[in-house]
mmCIF file of all heavy atoms in Angstrom:
data_model
loop_
_atom_site.group_PDB
_atom_site.id
_atom_site.type_symbol
_atom_site.label_atom_id
_atom_site.label_comp_id
_atom_site.label_asym_id
_atom_site.label_seq_id
_atom_site.Cartn_x
_atom_site.Cartn_y
_atom_site.Cartn_z
ATOM 1 N N ALA A 1 -4.444 -7.641 2.323
ATOM 2 C CA ALA A 1 -3.797 -6.402 1.889
ATOM 3 C C ALA A 1 -3.220 -6.540 0.485
ATOM 4 O O ALA A 1 -3.329 -5.618 -0.340
ATOM 5 C CB ALA A 1 -2.706 -6.009 2.877
ATOM 6 N N LEU A 2 -2.601 -7.675 0.191
ATOM 7 C CA LEU A 2 -2.015 -7.884 -1.133
ATOM 8 C C LEU A 2 -3.092 -7.948 -2.211
ATOM 9 O O LEU A 2 -2.856 -7.521 -3.362
ATOM 10 C CB LEU A 2 -1.198 -9.172 -1.148
ATOM 11 C CG LEU A 2 0.083 -9.188 -0.309
ATOM 12 C CD1 LEU A 2 0.762 -10.541 -0.420
ATOM 13 C CD2 LEU A 2 1.034 -8.076 -0.738
ATOM 14 N N ALA A 3 -4.268 -8.450 -1.843
ATOM 15 C CA ALA A 3 -5.353 -8.562 -2.813
ATOM 16 C C ALA A 3 -6.109 -7.257 -2.995
ATOM 17 O O ALA A 3 -6.858 -7.096 -3.977
ATOM 18 C CB ALA A 3 -6.323 -9.664 -2.379
ATOM 19 N N ALA A 4 -5.920 -6.308 -2.081
ATOM 20 C CA ALA A 4 -6.661 -5.042 -2.106
ATOM 21 C C ALA A 4 -5.863 -3.969 -2.850
ATOM 22 O O ALA A 4 -4.690 -4.139 -3.189
ATOM 23 C CB ALA A 4 -6.987 -4.596 -0.696
ATOM 24 N N ALA A 5 -6.514 -2.840 -3.073
ATOM 25 C CA ALA A 5 -5.894 -1.739 -3.819
ATOM 26 C C ALA A 5 -5.128 -0.811 -2.890
ATOM 27 O O ALA A 5 -5.395 -0.760 -1.683
ATOM 28 C CB ALA A 5 -6.983 -0.959 -4.546
ATOM 29 N N PRO A 6 -4.162 -0.070 -3.436
ATOM 30 C CA PRO A 6 -3.498 0.963 -2.637
ATOM 31 C C PRO A 6 -4.521 1.915 -2.030
ATOM 32 O O PRO A 6 -5.519 2.269 -2.661
ATOM 33 C CB PRO A 6 -2.607 1.679 -3.671
ATOM 34 C CG PRO A 6 -2.331 0.637 -4.708
ATOM 35 C CD PRO A 6 -3.599 -0.178 -4.799
ATOM 36 N N GLY A 7 -4.287 2.288 -0.770
ATOM 37 C CA GLY A 7 -5.198 3.190 -0.075
ATOM 38 C C GLY A 7 -6.398 2.512 0.545
ATOM 39 O O GLY A 7 -7.235 3.170 1.167
ATOM 40 N N SER A 8 -6.490 1.199 0.441
ATOM 41 C CA SER A 8 -7.639 0.462 0.964
ATOM 42 C C SER A 8 -7.519 0.282 2.468
ATOM 43 O O SER A 8 -6.430 0.346 3.040
ATOM 44 C CB SER A 8 -7.730 -0.905 0.284
ATOM 45 O OG SER A 8 -6.575 -1.679 0.602
ATOM 46 N N PRO A 9 -8.655 0.012 3.145
ATOM 47 C CA PRO A 9 -8.595 -0.280 4.587
ATOM 48 C C PRO A 9 -7.719 -1.494 4.893
ATOM 49 O O PRO A 9 -7.085 -1.551 5.946
ATOM 50 C CB PRO A 9 -10.055 -0.540 4.949
ATOM 51 C CG PRO A 9 -10.845 0.189 3.916
ATOM 52 C CD PRO A 9 -10.039 0.098 2.651
ATOM 53 N N GLU A 10 -7.691 -2.482 3.986
ATOM 54 C CA GLU A 10 -6.877 -3.666 4.211
ATOM 55 C C GLU A 10 -5.390 -3.316 4.253
ATOM 56 O O GLU A 10 -4.636 -3.850 5.076
ATOM 57 C CB GLU A 10 -7.144 -4.701 3.127
ATOM 58 C CG GLU A 10 -8.526 -5.328 3.184
ATOM 59 C CD GLU A 10 -9.601 -4.470 2.507
ATOM 60 O OE1 GLU A 10 -9.268 -3.374 1.984
ATOM 61 O OE2 GLU A 10 -10.767 -4.895 2.506
ATOM 62 N N ARG A 11 -4.969 -2.436 3.372
ATOM 63 C CA ARG A 11 -3.548 -2.061 3.365
ATOM 64 C C ARG A 11 -3.186 -1.133 4.525
ATOM 65 O O ARG A 11 -2.041 -1.094 4.960
ATOM 66 C CB ARG A 11 -3.173 -1.409 2.033
ATOM 67 C CG ARG A 11 -3.140 -2.410 0.905
ATOM 68 C CD ARG A 11 -2.240 -2.046 -0.225
ATOM 69 N NE ARG A 11 -2.162 -3.135 -1.189
ATOM 70 C CZ ARG A 11 -1.498 -3.097 -2.330
ATOM 71 N NH1 ARG A 11 -0.832 -1.986 -2.670
ATOM 72 N NH2 ARG A 11 -1.481 -4.135 -3.143
ATOM 73 N N ASP A 12 -4.179 -0.426 5.047
ATOM 74 C CA ASP A 12 -3.893 0.512 6.130
ATOM 75 C C ASP A 12 -3.550 -0.196 7.431
ATOM 76 O O ASP A 12 -3.049 0.422 8.360
ATOM 77 C CB ASP A 12 -5.099 1.440 6.353
ATOM 78 C CG ASP A 12 -4.772 2.578 7.309
ATOM 79 O OD1 ASP A 12 -3.817 3.340 7.026
ATOM 80 O OD2 ASP A 12 -5.439 2.685 8.355
ATOM 81 N N ARG A 13 -3.789 -1.508 7.522
ATOM 82 C CA ARG A 13 -3.372 -2.236 8.715
ATOM 83 C C ARG A 13 -1.848 -2.405 8.766
ATOM 84 O O ARG A 13 -1.292 -2.736 9.809
ATOM 85 C CB ARG A 13 -4.018 -3.623 8.731
ATOM 86 C CG ARG A 13 -5.537 -3.632 8.812
ATOM 87 C CD ARG A 13 -6.025 -5.034 8.486
ATOM 88 N NE ARG A 13 -7.468 -5.195 8.562
ATOM 89 C CZ ARG A 13 -8.137 -6.130 7.890
ATOM 90 N NH1 ARG A 13 -7.483 -6.967 7.095
ATOM 91 N NH2 ARG A 13 -9.435 -6.231 8.011
ATOM 92 N N TYR A 14 -1.195 -2.238 7.627
ATOM 93 C CA TYR A 14 0.258 -2.370 7.520
ATOM 94 C C TYR A 14 0.853 -1.047 7.053
ATOM 95 O O TYR A 14 0.153 -0.051 6.913
ATOM 96 C CB TYR A 14 0.610 -3.514 6.563
ATOM 97 C CG TYR A 14 0.213 -4.872 7.082
ATOM 98 C CD1 TYR A 14 -1.038 -5.420 6.772
ATOM 99 C CD2 TYR A 14 1.061 -5.615 7.893
ATOM 100 C CE1 TYR A 14 -1.416 -6.660 7.268
ATOM 101 C CE2 TYR A 14 0.695 -6.858 8.384
ATOM 102 C CZ TYR A 14 -0.551 -7.376 8.077
ATOM 103 O OH TYR A 14 -0.915 -8.595 8.566
ATOM 104 N N MET A 15 2.152 -1.046 6.801
ATOM 105 C CA MET A 15 2.861 0.177 6.423
ATOM 106 C C MET A 15 3.174 0.141 4.925
ATOM 107 O O MET A 15 4.323 -0.028 4.502
ATOM 108 C CB MET A 15 4.140 0.311 7.245
ATOM 109 C CG MET A 15 3.947 0.278 8.750
ATOM 110 S SD MET A 15 3.112 1.735 9.404
ATOM 111 C CE MET A 15 4.384 2.974 9.216
ATOM 112 N N PHE A 16 2.145 0.278 4.106
ATOM 113 C CA PHE A 16 2.312 0.353 2.655
ATOM 114 C C PHE A 16 2.554 1.802 2.243
ATOM 115 O O PHE A 16 1.902 2.720 2.744
ATOM 116 C CB PHE A 16 1.075 -0.176 1.937
ATOM 117 C CG PHE A 16 1.021 -1.673 1.834
ATOM 118 C CD1 PHE A 16 0.469 -2.439 2.852
ATOM 119 C CD2 PHE A 16 1.519 -2.308 0.708
ATOM 120 C CE1 PHE A 16 0.422 -3.823 2.754
ATOM 121 C CE2 PHE A 16 1.472 -3.692 0.598
ATOM 122 C CZ PHE A 16 0.923 -4.448 1.624
ATOM 123 N N ARG A 17 3.482 2.002 1.313
ATOM 124 C CA ARG A 17 3.777 3.334 0.803
ATOM 125 C C ARG A 17 4.146 3.247 -0.672
ATOM 126 O O ARG A 17 4.663 2.230 -1.150
ATOM 127 C CB ARG A 17 4.953 3.980 1.560
ATOM 128 C CG ARG A 17 4.689 4.267 3.034
ATOM 129 C CD ARG A 17 3.648 5.343 3.247
ATOM 130 N NE ARG A 17 3.482 5.703 4.651
ATOM 131 C CZ ARG A 17 2.688 5.084 5.510
ATOM 132 N NH1 ARG A 17 1.965 4.031 5.105
ATOM 133 N NH2 ARG A 17 2.593 5.492 6.765
ATOM 134 N N ASP A 18 3.906 4.354 -1.385
ATOM 135 C CA ASP A 18 4.367 4.455 -2.768
ATOM 136 C C ASP A 18 5.874 4.620 -2.789
ATOM 137 O O ASP A 18 6.458 5.237 -1.892
ATOM 138 C CB ASP A 18 3.709 5.644 -3.465
ATOM 139 C CG ASP A 18 2.205 5.475 -3.638
ATOM 140 O OD1 ASP A 18 1.755 4.310 -3.761
ATOM 141 O OD2 ASP A 18 1.487 6.491 -3.638
ATOM 142 N N GLY A 19 6.498 4.100 -3.825
ATOM 143 C CA GLY A 19 7.938 4.227 -3.950
ATOM 144 C C GLY A 19 8.352 5.574 -4.508
ATOM 145 O O GLY A 19 7.528 6.351 -5.003
ATOM 146 N N LEU A 20 9.635 5.849 -4.440
ATOM 147 C CA LEU A 20 10.212 7.066 -5.009
ATOM 148 C C LEU A 20 10.717 6.775 -6.417
ATOM 149 O O LEU A 20 10.751 5.629 -6.863
ATOM 150 C CB LEU A 20 11.357 7.554 -4.120
ATOM 151 C CG LEU A 20 11.012 7.812 -2.645
ATOM 152 C CD1 LEU A 20 12.265 8.248 -1.874
ATOM 153 C CD2 LEU A 20 9.899 8.828 -2.499
ATOM 154 N N GLY A 21 11.146 7.826 -7.105
ATOM 155 C CA GLY A 21 11.622 7.649 -8.468
ATOM 156 C C GLY A 21 10.499 7.843 -9.476
ATOM 157 O O GLY A 21 9.312 7.916 -9.131
ATOM 158 N N GLU A 22 10.860 7.861 -10.735
ATOM 159 C CA GLU A 22 9.894 8.153 -11.797
ATOM 160 C C GLU A 22 8.752 7.144 -11.827
ATOM 161 O O GLU A 22 7.591 7.493 -12.051
ATOM 162 C CB GLU A 22 10.623 8.161 -13.143
ATOM 163 C CG GLU A 22 9.736 8.574 -14.305
ATOM 164 C CD GLU A 22 10.524 8.700 -15.598
ATOM 165 O OE1 GLU A 22 11.760 8.713 -15.545
ATOM 166 O OE2 GLU A 22 9.877 8.763 -16.669
ATOM 167 N N ASP A 23 9.072 5.887 -11.607
ATOM 168 C CA ASP A 23 8.054 4.839 -11.668
ATOM 169 C C ASP A 23 7.849 4.144 -10.322
ATOM 170 O O ASP A 23 7.373 3.015 -10.269
ATOM 171 C CB ASP A 23 8.449 3.802 -12.719
ATOM 172 C CG ASP A 23 8.528 4.397 -14.114
ATOM 173 O OD1 ASP A 23 7.572 5.093 -14.501
ATOM 174 O OD2 ASP A 23 9.548 4.166 -14.791
ATOM 175 N N GLY A 24 8.249 4.829 -9.234
ATOM 176 C CA GLY A 24 8.103 4.220 -7.914
ATOM 177 C C GLY A 24 9.026 3.052 -7.693
ATOM 178 O O GLY A 24 8.762 2.185 -6.853
#
């Protein structure tokens, strides 16, 4: 998951989300 891109199937196994604020 860490090696993959946001929105990838690898990250979807965990609870990855974009941050809030101007730059996340």
Side-chain angles (χ1 to χ4, degrees):
L2 292 179
S8 63
E10 291 83 0
R11 288 206 174 177
D12 189 57
R13 297 167 178 155
Y14 293 92
M15 304 291 289
F16 279 87
R17 295 293 185 274
D18 294 330
L20 304 178
E22 185 175 347
D23 298 311

